[in-house]
Amino acid sequence: MVRAIRGAITVENNNREEILAATKELLEEMFRENQIDREDFINMIFTLTPDLNAVFPAVAARELGITNVPLMCMTEIPVPGALEKCVRVLLQVNTEKKLDDMVHVYMKEAIRLRPDLKR
């Protein structure tokens, strides 16, 4: 069965080190919360708000050792009033877990995107 898990995190500055560190932090928390094994991944789709362009967030996944999974990075459309400096990810995984058992992870200022999710 395939399940999708969403996550998002914000950064303070548009620089390579900060974007990679935040993306790694987000991914590791998503893996931990959902007890995901690397062989369960189908793909990862990353988006960045238009104010972030210092590095592709997929680099963070590769640095975590995720080398045999298709990754894609995209820029979000610039919507007035949208959350700034945000990295988002959509993970698709093979799992027998129920949809309600999947834990979506929103960190730092990105918590504002899904205040309905209590962690």
Side-chain angles (χ1 to χ4, degrees), residues 30-96:
M30 292 174 77
F31 303 163
R32 188 184 65 72
E33 285 286 339
N34 289 285
Q35 300 172 345
I36 300 170
D37 293 323
R38 293 180 192 273
E39 63 269 7
D40 295 335
F41 297 130
I42 295 171
N43 62 42
M44 296 181 187
I45 302 168
F46 296 91
T47 67
L48 294 164
T49 50
D51 50 4
L52 297 178
N53 62 7
V55 66
F56 292 111
V59 171
R62 296 292 187 229
E63 289 182 357
L64 288 174
I66 300 165
T67 58
N68 61 344
V69 175
L71 307 177
M72 179 176 275
C73 298
M74 297 176 276
T75 301
E76 296 177 17
I77 59 172
V79 175
L83 184 63
E84 297 177 347
K85 295 188 178 84
C86 187
V87 177
R88 291 177 174 89
V89 64
L90 175 68
L91 305 180
Q92 291 184 308
V93 297
N94 284 310
T95 183
E96 294 300 320

Short mmCIF file of all heavy atoms in Angstrom, two decimals, residues 30-96:
data_model
loop_
_atom_site.label_atom_id
_atom_site.label_comp_id
_atom_site.label_asym_id
_atom_site.label_seq_id
_atom_site.Cartn_x
_atom_site.Cartn_y
_atom_site.Cartn_z
N MET A 30 10.50 13.11 10.31
CA MET A 30 9.44 12.39 9.59
C MET A 30 9.71 10.89 9.59
O MET A 30 8.79 10.09 9.80
CB MET A 30 9.33 12.91 8.16
CG MET A 30 8.81 14.34 8.08
SD MET A 30 8.84 15.00 6.39
CE MET A 30 7.39 14.16 5.71
N PHE A 31 10.97 10.51 9.38
CA PHE A 31 11.33 9.08 9.39
C PHE A 31 11.07 8.49 10.78
O PHE A 31 10.51 7.41 10.91
CB PHE A 31 12.80 8.87 9.04
CG PHE A 31 13.24 9.43 7.71
CD1 PHE A 31 14.58 9.62 7.45
CD2 PHE A 31 12.32 9.78 6.72
CE1 PHE A 31 15.01 10.12 6.24
CE2 PHE A 31 12.74 10.28 5.50
CZ PHE A 31 14.09 10.46 5.26
N ARG A 32 11.48 9.22 11.82
CA ARG A 32 11.33 8.73 13.19
C ARG A 32 9.84 8.61 13.57
O ARG A 32 9.40 7.58 14.07
CB ARG A 32 12.06 9.65 14.17
CG ARG A 32 12.11 9.12 15.60
CD ARG A 32 12.75 10.10 16.54
NE ARG A 32 12.01 11.34 16.70
CZ ARG A 32 10.85 11.45 17.37
NH1 ARG A 32 10.32 10.39 17.94
NH2 ARG A 32 10.25 12.60 17.49
N GLU A 33 9.10 9.67 13.33
CA GLU A 33 7.68 9.69 13.70
C GLU A 33 6.87 8.59 13.01
O GLU A 33 5.91 8.08 13.56
CB GLU A 33 7.05 11.05 13.38
CG GLU A 33 7.43 12.15 14.33
CD GLU A 33 6.73 12.03 15.69
OE1 GLU A 33 5.67 11.37 15.79
OE2 GLU A 33 7.25 12.62 16.65
N ASN A 34 7.26 8.27 11.79
CA ASN A 34 6.50 7.30 11.01
C ASN A 34 7.17 5.93 10.93
O ASN A 34 6.66 5.04 10.27
CB ASN A 34 6.26 7.85 9.60
CG ASN A 34 5.27 8.98 9.63
OD1 ASN A 34 4.08 8.76 9.78
ND2 ASN A 34 5.76 10.21 9.53
N GLN A 35 8.31 5.79 11.60
CA GLN A 35 9.06 4.53 11.61
C GLN A 35 9.26 4.01 10.19
O GLN A 35 8.94 2.86 9.86
CB GLN A 35 8.35 3.50 12.49
CG GLN A 35 8.21 3.96 13.92
CD GLN A 35 7.35 3.06 14.75
OE1 GLN A 35 6.61 2.20 14.25
NE2 GLN A 35 7.43 3.23 16.06
N ILE A 36 9.82 4.89 9.37
CA ILE A 36 10.04 4.57 7.96
C ILE A 36 11.43 3.98 7.78
O ILE A 36 12.42 4.53 8.28
CB ILE A 36 9.93 5.84 7.09
CG1 ILE A 36 8.54 6.46 7.24
CG2 ILE A 36 10.22 5.52 5.63
CD1 ILE A 36 8.44 7.83 6.60
N ASP A 37 11.51 2.88 7.05
CA ASP A 37 12.78 2.31 6.66
C ASP A 37 13.13 2.81 5.27
O ASP A 37 12.25 3.04 4.43
CB ASP A 37 12.70 0.78 6.66
CG ASP A 37 12.50 0.22 8.05
OD1 ASP A 37 13.07 0.77 9.00
OD2 ASP A 37 11.75 -0.78 8.17
N ARG A 38 14.40 2.93 4.98
CA ARG A 38 14.84 3.46 3.69
C ARG A 38 14.31 2.65 2.51
O ARG A 38 14.06 3.19 1.45
CB ARG A 38 16.35 3.55 3.65
CG ARG A 38 16.88 4.60 4.60
CD ARG A 38 18.39 4.69 4.57
NE ARG A 38 18.88 5.47 5.66
CZ ARG A 38 19.03 6.79 5.63
NH1 ARG A 38 18.71 7.45 4.56
NH2 ARG A 38 19.48 7.44 6.68
N GLU A 39 14.13 1.36 2.69
CA GLU A 39 13.63 0.55 1.57
C GLU A 39 12.14 0.77 1.32
O GLU A 39 11.60 0.29 0.32
CB GLU A 39 13.92 -0.94 1.80
CG GLU A 39 13.25 -1.53 3.00
CD GLU A 39 14.09 -1.46 4.27
OE1 GLU A 39 15.16 -0.84 4.28
OE2 GLU A 39 13.66 -2.04 5.27
N ASP A 40 11.47 1.53 2.18
CA ASP A 40 10.04 1.82 2.01
C ASP A 40 9.77 3.01 1.10
O ASP A 40 8.64 3.20 0.64
CB ASP A 40 9.38 2.09 3.37
CG ASP A 40 9.38 0.87 4.28
OD1 ASP A 40 9.44 -0.26 3.76
OD2 ASP A 40 9.33 1.06 5.50
N PHE A 41 10.78 3.82 0.83
CA PHE A 41 10.56 5.03 0.03
C PHE A 41 10.21 4.72 -1.41
O PHE A 41 10.83 3.86 -2.04
CB PHE A 41 11.81 5.92 0.00
CG PHE A 41 12.23 6.45 1.33
CD1 PHE A 41 13.53 6.32 1.75
CD2 PHE A 41 11.33 7.09 2.17
CE1 PHE A 41 13.94 6.82 2.98
CE2 PHE A 41 11.72 7.58 3.40
CZ PHE A 41 13.03 7.44 3.80
N ILE A 42 9.25 5.45 -1.95
CA ILE A 42 8.94 5.40 -3.38
C ILE A 42 9.56 6.61 -4.05
O ILE A 42 10.26 6.51 -5.05
CB ILE A 42 7.42 5.37 -3.61
CG1 ILE A 42 6.86 4.07 -3.05
CG2 ILE A 42 7.10 5.53 -5.10
CD1 ILE A 42 5.36 4.01 -3.03
N ASN A 43 9.29 7.81 -3.49
CA ASN A 43 9.90 9.03 -4.00
C ASN A 43 9.75 10.15 -2.97
O ASN A 43 9.04 9.98 -1.97
CB ASN A 43 9.33 9.45 -5.36
CG ASN A 43 7.86 9.76 -5.30
OD1 ASN A 43 7.36 10.41 -4.39
ND2 ASN A 43 7.12 9.29 -6.29
N MET A 44 10.43 11.26 -3.23
CA MET A 44 10.32 12.46 -2.40
C MET A 44 10.22 13.65 -3.32
O MET A 44 11.00 13.79 -4.26
CB MET A 44 11.56 12.63 -1.52
CG MET A 44 11.80 11.57 -0.52
SD MET A 44 13.29 11.93 0.45
CE MET A 44 13.41 10.42 1.37
N ILE A 45 9.24 14.49 -3.04
CA ILE A 45 9.05 15.71 -3.81
C ILE A 45 9.22 16.89 -2.87
O ILE A 45 8.51 17.01 -1.87
CB ILE A 45 7.66 15.75 -4.47
CG1 ILE A 45 7.49 14.52 -5.37
CG2 ILE A 45 7.46 17.05 -5.23
CD1 ILE A 45 6.08 14.29 -5.84
N PHE A 46 10.18 17.74 -3.18
CA PHE A 46 10.48 18.92 -2.37
C PHE A 46 10.00 20.17 -3.08
O PHE A 46 10.09 20.27 -4.31
CB PHE A 46 11.99 19.06 -2.16
CG PHE A 46 12.62 17.95 -1.39
CD1 PHE A 46 13.13 16.84 -2.04
CD2 PHE A 46 12.71 18.01 -0.01
CE1 PHE A 46 13.73 15.81 -1.33
CE2 PHE A 46 13.31 16.98 0.71
CZ PHE A 46 13.82 15.87 0.05
N THR A 47 9.51 21.13 -2.30
CA THR A 47 9.25 22.47 -2.84
C THR A 47 9.91 23.50 -1.94
O THR A 47 10.09 23.27 -0.75
CB THR A 47 7.74 22.79 -2.97
OG1 THR A 47 7.17 22.88 -1.66
CG2 THR A 47 7.02 21.75 -3.80
N LEU A 48 10.26 24.60 -2.56
CA LEU A 48 10.84 25.75 -1.85
C LEU A 48 10.02 26.98 -2.17
O LEU A 48 9.56 27.14 -3.31
CB LEU A 48 12.28 26.01 -2.32
CG LEU A 48 13.32 24.96 -2.02
CD1 LEU A 48 14.55 25.19 -2.88
CD2 LEU A 48 13.69 25.03 -0.55
N THR A 49 9.85 27.85 -1.20
CA THR A 49 9.23 29.13 -1.51
C THR A 49 10.19 29.92 -2.40
O THR A 49 11.40 29.66 -2.39
CB THR A 49 8.91 29.90 -0.22
OG1 THR A 49 10.05 29.95 0.63
CG2 THR A 49 7.75 29.24 0.54
N PRO A 50 9.68 30.86 -3.19
CA PRO A 50 10.52 31.56 -4.17
C PRO A 50 11.70 32.32 -3.56
O PRO A 50 12.65 32.64 -4.27
CB PRO A 50 9.54 32.53 -4.84
CG PRO A 50 8.21 31.91 -4.65
CD PRO A 50 8.26 31.20 -3.33
N ASP A 51 11.67 32.59 -2.27
CA ASP A 51 12.76 33.32 -1.63
C ASP A 51 13.93 32.42 -1.22
O ASP A 51 14.91 32.89 -0.66
CB ASP A 51 12.26 34.13 -0.43
CG ASP A 51 11.42 33.31 0.54
OD1 ASP A 51 11.27 32.08 0.35
OD2 ASP A 51 10.89 33.90 1.48
N LEU A 52 13.84 31.13 -1.50
CA LEU A 52 14.92 30.20 -1.22
C LEU A 52 15.45 29.62 -2.53
O LEU A 52 14.71 29.00 -3.28
CB LEU A 52 14.44 29.05 -0.32
CG LEU A 52 13.97 29.43 1.08
CD1 LEU A 52 13.47 28.20 1.82
CD2 LEU A 52 15.07 30.14 1.86
N ASN A 53 16.74 29.84 -2.78
CA ASN A 53 17.33 29.34 -4.02
C ASN A 53 18.82 29.01 -3.89
O ASN A 53 19.52 28.88 -4.88
CB ASN A 53 17.13 30.34 -5.16
CG ASN A 53 17.80 31.67 -4.89
OD1 ASN A 53 18.52 31.84 -3.92
ND2 ASN A 53 17.56 32.62 -5.76
N ALA A 54 19.29 28.86 -2.65
CA ALA A 54 20.72 28.63 -2.42
C ALA A 54 21.15 27.18 -2.69
O ALA A 54 22.33 26.93 -2.94
CB ALA A 54 21.10 29.03 -1.00
N VAL A 55 20.20 26.24 -2.63
CA VAL A 55 20.54 24.83 -2.83
C VAL A 55 19.25 24.04 -3.05
O VAL A 55 18.18 24.45 -2.59
CB VAL A 55 21.32 24.27 -1.61
CG1 VAL A 55 20.46 24.23 -0.36
CG2 VAL A 55 21.93 22.91 -1.90
N PHE A 56 19.37 22.93 -3.76
CA PHE A 56 18.24 22.02 -3.87
C PHE A 56 18.11 21.24 -2.57
O PHE A 56 19.09 20.65 -2.10
CB PHE A 56 18.47 21.02 -5.02
CG PHE A 56 18.45 21.63 -6.39
CD1 PHE A 56 19.62 21.71 -7.13
CD2 PHE A 56 17.27 22.11 -6.93
CE1 PHE A 56 19.61 22.25 -8.40
CE2 PHE A 56 17.26 22.66 -8.20
CZ PHE A 56 18.42 22.74 -8.94
N PRO A 57 16.92 21.16 -1.96
CA PRO A 57 16.79 20.40 -0.72
C PRO A 57 17.02 18.91 -0.90
O PRO A 57 17.34 18.21 0.06
CB PRO A 57 15.36 20.71 -0.26
CG PRO A 57 14.66 21.23 -1.45
CD PRO A 57 15.68 21.83 -2.33
N ALA A 58 16.91 18.41 -2.11
CA ALA A 58 17.19 16.99 -2.36
C ALA A 58 18.63 16.64 -2.01
O ALA A 58 18.92 15.48 -1.68
CB ALA A 58 16.89 16.64 -3.81
N VAL A 59 19.51 17.61 -2.04
CA VAL A 59 20.91 17.38 -1.65
C VAL A 59 20.96 16.84 -0.22
O VAL A 59 21.76 15.96 0.10
CB VAL A 59 21.75 18.66 -1.81
CG1 VAL A 59 23.14 18.50 -1.22
CG2 VAL A 59 21.83 19.07 -3.28
N ALA A 60 20.09 17.36 0.65
CA ALA A 60 20.07 16.90 2.05
C ALA A 60 19.72 15.41 2.13
O ALA A 60 20.31 14.67 2.91
CB ALA A 60 19.08 17.73 2.86
N ALA A 61 18.75 14.99 1.32
CA ALA A 61 18.39 13.57 1.31
C ALA A 61 19.56 12.72 0.84
O ALA A 61 19.85 11.67 1.43
CB ALA A 61 17.17 13.35 0.42
N ARG A 62 20.24 13.16 -0.19
CA ARG A 62 21.41 12.42 -0.68
C ARG A 62 22.49 12.36 0.40
O ARG A 62 23.12 11.33 0.59
CB ARG A 62 21.96 13.05 -1.95
CG ARG A 62 21.01 13.02 -3.13
CD ARG A 62 20.78 11.62 -3.65
NE ARG A 62 19.99 11.64 -4.87
CZ ARG A 62 18.92 10.88 -5.09
NH1 ARG A 62 18.52 10.03 -4.17
NH2 ARG A 62 18.28 10.95 -6.23
N GLU A 63 22.69 13.47 1.12
CA GLU A 63 23.70 13.48 2.19
C GLU A 63 23.30 12.58 3.35
O GLU A 63 24.17 12.14 4.11
CB GLU A 63 23.95 14.91 2.67
CG GLU A 63 24.70 15.75 1.65
CD GLU A 63 25.00 17.16 2.11
OE1 GLU A 63 24.57 17.56 3.23
OE2 GLU A 63 25.66 17.90 1.34
N LEU A 64 22.01 12.30 3.50
CA LEU A 64 21.55 11.35 4.52
C LEU A 64 21.68 9.90 4.05
O LEU A 64 21.30 8.98 4.76
CB LEU A 64 20.09 11.64 4.91
CG LEU A 64 19.84 12.89 5.75
CD1 LEU A 64 18.35 13.11 5.93
CD2 LEU A 64 20.54 12.77 7.09
N GLY A 65 22.17 9.71 2.83
CA GLY A 65 22.39 8.36 2.31
C GLY A 65 21.24 7.81 1.49
O GLY A 65 21.23 6.63 1.15
N ILE A 66 20.28 8.65 1.16
CA ILE A 66 19.15 8.22 0.34
C ILE A 66 19.56 8.41 -1.12
O ILE A 66 19.44 9.49 -1.68
CB ILE A 66 17.89 9.01 0.69
CG1 ILE A 66 17.56 8.80 2.17
CG2 ILE A 66 16.72 8.62 -0.20
CD1 ILE A 66 16.59 9.78 2.75
N THR A 67 20.08 7.34 -1.70
CA THR A 67 20.68 7.45 -3.03
C THR A 67 19.93 6.70 -4.12
O THR A 67 20.18 6.94 -5.30
CB THR A 67 22.13 6.95 -2.99
OG1 THR A 67 22.13 5.59 -2.53
CG2 THR A 67 22.98 7.80 -2.06
N ASN A 68 19.02 5.82 -3.76
CA ASN A 68 18.34 5.02 -4.78
C ASN A 68 16.85 5.35 -4.91
O ASN A 68 16.08 4.56 -5.41
CB ASN A 68 18.51 3.53 -4.50
CG ASN A 68 17.90 3.13 -3.17
OD1 ASN A 68 17.62 3.97 -2.35
ND2 ASN A 68 17.71 1.84 -2.97
N VAL A 69 16.47 6.55 -4.46
CA VAL A 69 15.08 6.99 -4.48
C VAL A 69 14.96 8.19 -5.41
O VAL A 69 15.77 9.12 -5.32
CB VAL A 69 14.62 7.38 -3.05
CG1 VAL A 69 13.22 7.95 -3.05
CG2 VAL A 69 14.73 6.19 -2.11
N PRO A 70 13.98 8.21 -6.29
CA PRO A 70 13.78 9.40 -7.13
C PRO A 70 13.41 10.62 -6.28
O PRO A 70 12.53 10.54 -5.43
CB PRO A 70 12.62 9.01 -8.05
CG PRO A 70 12.55 7.52 -8.00
CD PRO A 70 13.04 7.14 -6.64
N LEU A 71 14.09 11.71 -6.54
CA LEU A 71 13.85 12.96 -5.82
C LEU A 71 13.54 14.06 -6.83
O LEU A 71 14.10 14.06 -7.93
CB LEU A 71 15.08 13.37 -5.01
CG LEU A 71 15.67 12.34 -4.06
CD1 LEU A 71 16.93 12.88 -3.41
CD2 LEU A 71 14.66 11.92 -3.01
N MET A 72 12.70 15.01 -6.44
CA MET A 72 12.40 16.14 -7.31
C MET A 72 12.28 17.39 -6.47
O MET A 72 11.75 17.36 -5.36
CB MET A 72 11.10 15.91 -8.07
CG MET A 72 10.72 17.07 -8.99
SD MET A 72 9.25 16.71 -9.95
CE MET A 72 10.05 15.84 -11.30
N CYS A 73 12.79 18.51 -7.01
CA CYS A 73 12.69 19.80 -6.35
C CYS A 73 11.96 20.78 -7.26
O CYS A 73 12.20 20.80 -8.47
CB CYS A 73 14.07 20.36 -6.03
SG CYS A 73 15.04 19.35 -4.92
N MET A 74 11.10 21.60 -6.65
CA MET A 74 10.34 22.59 -7.40
C MET A 74 10.24 23.87 -6.59
O MET A 74 10.38 23.85 -5.37
CB MET A 74 8.94 22.07 -7.69
CG MET A 74 8.90 20.84 -8.56
SD MET A 74 7.23 20.22 -8.78
CE MET A 74 7.08 19.22 -7.31
N THR A 75 9.95 24.96 -7.28
CA THR A 75 9.68 26.23 -6.63
C THR A 75 8.18 26.43 -6.59
O THR A 75 7.47 26.17 -7.56
CB THR A 75 10.32 27.40 -7.41
OG1 THR A 75 11.72 27.17 -7.49
CG2 THR A 75 10.06 28.72 -6.73
N GLU A 76 7.69 26.91 -5.46
CA GLU A 76 6.26 27.18 -5.32
C GLU A 76 5.90 28.49 -6.01
O GLU A 76 6.75 29.33 -6.27
CB GLU A 76 5.91 27.28 -3.83
CG GLU A 76 6.13 25.97 -3.11
CD GLU A 76 5.85 26.07 -1.62
OE1 GLU A 76 5.18 27.04 -1.18
OE2 GLU A 76 6.30 25.18 -0.90
N ILE A 77 4.63 28.66 -6.28
CA ILE A 77 4.19 29.91 -6.87
C ILE A 77 4.19 31.00 -5.80
O ILE A 77 3.94 30.73 -4.63
CB ILE A 77 2.80 29.78 -7.52
CG1 ILE A 77 1.74 29.36 -6.51
CG2 ILE A 77 2.85 28.82 -8.69
CD1 ILE A 77 0.32 29.39 -7.04
N PRO A 78 4.52 32.24 -6.17
CA PRO A 78 4.59 33.34 -5.19
C PRO A 78 3.20 33.90 -4.86
O PRO A 78 2.70 34.80 -5.52
CB PRO A 78 5.46 34.38 -5.89
CG PRO A 78 5.25 34.12 -7.35
CD PRO A 78 5.00 32.64 -7.48
N VAL A 79 2.57 33.35 -3.84
CA VAL A 79 1.24 33.79 -3.42
C VAL A 79 1.39 34.89 -2.38
O VAL A 79 2.13 34.72 -1.40
CB VAL A 79 0.45 32.59 -2.84
CG1 VAL A 79 -0.89 33.05 -2.29
CG2 VAL A 79 0.27 31.51 -3.88
N PRO A 80 0.73 36.03 -2.57
CA PRO A 80 0.81 37.12 -1.58
C PRO A 80 0.39 36.64 -0.19
O PRO A 80 -0.62 35.96 -0.04
CB PRO A 80 -0.16 38.18 -2.12
CG PRO A 80 -0.27 37.89 -3.58
CD PRO A 80 -0.13 36.39 -3.71
N GLY A 81 1.19 36.98 0.80
CA GLY A 81 0.88 36.63 2.18
C GLY A 81 1.25 35.21 2.58
O GLY A 81 1.01 34.81 3.71
N ALA A 82 1.84 34.44 1.67
CA ALA A 82 2.21 33.06 1.99
C ALA A 82 3.40 33.02 2.96
O ALA A 82 4.18 33.98 3.04
CB ALA A 82 2.55 32.30 0.71
N LEU A 83 3.53 31.91 3.64
CA LEU A 83 4.65 31.71 4.55
C LEU A 83 5.95 31.79 3.76
O LEU A 83 6.08 31.22 2.68
CB LEU A 83 4.53 30.33 5.21
CG LEU A 83 5.57 29.97 6.25
CD1 LEU A 83 5.51 30.93 7.45
CD2 LEU A 83 5.35 28.55 6.73
N GLU A 84 6.92 32.52 4.29
CA GLU A 84 8.21 32.71 3.62
C GLU A 84 9.25 31.72 4.10
O GLU A 84 9.12 31.13 5.17
CB GLU A 84 8.70 34.13 3.86
CG GLU A 84 7.79 35.20 3.28
CD GLU A 84 8.27 36.60 3.59
OE1 GLU A 84 9.17 36.78 4.43
OE2 GLU A 84 7.73 37.53 2.96
N LYS A 85 10.28 31.57 3.30
CA LYS A 85 11.45 30.74 3.62
C LYS A 85 11.06 29.37 4.15
O LYS A 85 11.46 28.94 5.21
CB LYS A 85 12.36 31.48 4.59
CG LYS A 85 12.96 32.74 4.00
CD LYS A 85 14.00 33.34 4.92
CE LYS A 85 14.63 34.55 4.30
NZ LYS A 85 13.87 35.78 4.47
N CYS A 86 10.28 28.68 3.34
CA CYS A 86 9.73 27.39 3.74
C CYS A 86 10.16 26.29 2.77
O CYS A 86 10.09 26.46 1.55
CB CYS A 86 8.21 27.48 3.79
SG CYS A 86 7.40 26.03 4.46
N VAL A 87 10.58 25.18 3.34
CA VAL A 87 10.89 23.96 2.60
C VAL A 87 9.77 22.97 2.92
O VAL A 87 9.48 22.72 4.09
CB VAL A 87 12.25 23.35 3.02
CG1 VAL A 87 12.51 22.04 2.29
CG2 VAL A 87 13.38 24.35 2.83
N ARG A 88 9.17 22.42 1.87
CA ARG A 88 8.12 21.42 2.05
C ARG A 88 8.56 20.12 1.37
O ARG A 88 9.34 20.15 0.42
CB ARG A 88 6.81 21.89 1.42
CG ARG A 88 6.15 23.04 2.14
CD ARG A 88 4.88 23.45 1.38
NE ARG A 88 4.10 24.46 2.05
CZ ARG A 88 4.27 25.77 1.91
NH1 ARG A 88 5.22 26.24 1.12
NH2 ARG A 88 3.50 26.63 2.54
N VAL A 89 8.03 19.01 1.87
CA VAL A 89 8.33 17.72 1.26
C VAL A 89 7.08 16.85 1.30
O VAL A 89 6.28 16.91 2.24
CB VAL A 89 9.53 17.01 1.94
CG1 VAL A 89 9.22 16.65 3.38
CG2 VAL A 89 9.96 15.79 1.16
N LEU A 90 6.94 16.07 0.24
CA LEU A 90 5.91 15.04 0.17
C LEU A 90 6.64 13.73 -0.04
O LEU A 90 7.33 13.54 -1.05
CB LEU A 90 4.95 15.30 -1.00
CG LEU A 90 3.89 14.24 -1.25
CD1 LEU A 90 2.89 14.19 -0.11
CD2 LEU A 90 3.18 14.52 -2.57
N LEU A 91 6.54 12.83 0.94
CA LEU A 91 7.16 11.51 0.85
C LEU A 91 6.08 10.51 0.47
O LEU A 91 4.99 10.52 1.03
CB LEU A 91 7.73 11.07 2.20
CG LEU A 91 8.71 11.96 2.92
CD1 LEU A 91 9.13 11.30 4.23
CD2 LEU A 91 9.91 12.24 2.06
N GLN A 92 6.40 9.65 -0.46
CA GLN A 92 5.52 8.53 -0.76
C GLN A 92 6.26 7.26 -0.34
O GLN A 92 7.43 7.08 -0.70
CB GLN A 92 5.16 8.50 -2.23
CG GLN A 92 4.25 9.66 -2.60
CD GLN A 92 3.80 9.60 -4.04
OE1 GLN A 92 4.62 9.45 -4.93
NE2 GLN A 92 2.51 9.69 -4.24
N VAL A 93 5.57 6.45 0.46
CA VAL A 93 6.19 5.26 1.02
C VAL A 93 5.29 4.04 0.88
O VAL A 93 4.07 4.16 0.83
CB VAL A 93 6.55 5.45 2.52
CG1 VAL A 93 7.56 6.56 2.71
CG2 VAL A 93 5.31 5.73 3.35
N ASN A 94 5.91 2.88 0.82
CA ASN A 94 5.20 1.61 0.90
C ASN A 94 5.04 1.29 2.38
O ASN A 94 6.03 1.27 3.12
CB ASN A 94 6.00 0.49 0.24
CG ASN A 94 5.94 0.57 -1.26
OD1 ASN A 94 4.87 0.68 -1.84
ND2 ASN A 94 7.10 0.50 -1.90
N THR A 95 3.82 1.04 2.81
CA THR A 95 3.58 0.71 4.21
C THR A 95 2.24 0.01 4.36
O THR A 95 1.36 0.18 3.52
CB THR A 95 3.61 1.98 5.11
OG1 THR A 95 3.44 1.59 6.47
CG2 THR A 95 2.54 2.97 4.71
N GLU A 96 2.11 -0.74 5.40
CA GLU A 96 0.83 -1.37 5.73
C GLU A 96 0.05 -0.53 6.74
O GLU A 96 -1.06 -0.89 7.13
CB GLU A 96 1.07 -2.78 6.31
CG GLU A 96 1.67 -3.74 5.29
CD GLU A 96 0.78 -3.94 4.07
OE1 GLU A 96 -0.46 -4.04 4.23
OE2 GLU A 96 1.33 -3.99 2.96
#
